[in-house]
Amino acid sequence: MSAQSVAFTNYLVSYDFTTGADKYNGGSSAAVQLEPGVWGMMAGDADGDGDVLAVDGSIGTDQLGQSGYLRADFNLDGAVTSDDLALWTTNQGRKASASNGETILSLALTVSPERKTLLPGATQILTATGTTGTVTWAM
């Protein structure tokens, strides 16, 4: 979730989350420094309540070994592994600004692709259909 809304029209939009915690809604509560000068979203809030607590670790343990983009797939690689549980351990006790990880869009609006994991420096064009005018959302 970006700190400010990003307007998507017929133009290519670029927003670099990696440059600092100030790029995230919630600042340093929502982002962690992955390496010097590179920031990323804080992972581990499996139940989407805004806090990384023991219950989130329990969800991770319950989903361990399963494939798919599940609530405990904290690194979004398509499988729940010990790497995901390590992310939960690292962030336990923190607050996430991205509570309730599910976003329900109106039935007329379709965003494509629905889900995409990007590596640092990569770009992705999102397409919104089923509506007219400007579509604006934070990410």
Side-chain angles (χ1 to χ4, degrees), residues 41-68:
M41 286 181 64
M42 189 263 310
D45 183 20
D47 64 1
D49 68 352
D51 295 311
V52 181
L53 302 170
V55 67
D56 301 302
S58 296
I59 293 169
T61 301
D62 290 346
Q63 294 181 350
L64 191 62
Q66 295 182 34
S67 295

Side-chain angles (χ1 to χ4, degrees), residues 36-127:
V38 178
W39 291 78
M41 286 181 64
M42 189 263 310
D45 183 20
D47 64 1
D49 68 352
D51 295 311
V52 181
L53 302 170
V55 67
D56 301 302
S58 296
I59 293 169
T61 301
D62 290 346
Q63 294 181 350
L64 191 62
Q66 295 182 34
S67 295
Y69 290 104
L70 303 167
R71 288 192 170 269
D73 181 18
F74 301 131
N75 63 5
L76 297 175
D77 67 355
V80 179
T81 67
S82 60
D83 291 341
D84 297 297
L85 294 180
L87 287 171
W88 167 79
T89 300
T90 299
N91 293 317
Q92 190 174 10
R94 294 187 63 156
K95 291 191 172 290
S97 68
S99 61
N100 190 4
E102 296 176 296
T103 301
I104 308 302
L105 301 174
S106 68
L107 296 177
L109 182 64
T110 303
V111 178
S112 177
E114 292 179 10
R115 184 179 297 246
K116 180 76 174 181
T117 301
L118 295 176
L119 298 174
T123 61
Q124 177 66 48
I125 296 174
L126 301 175
T127 304

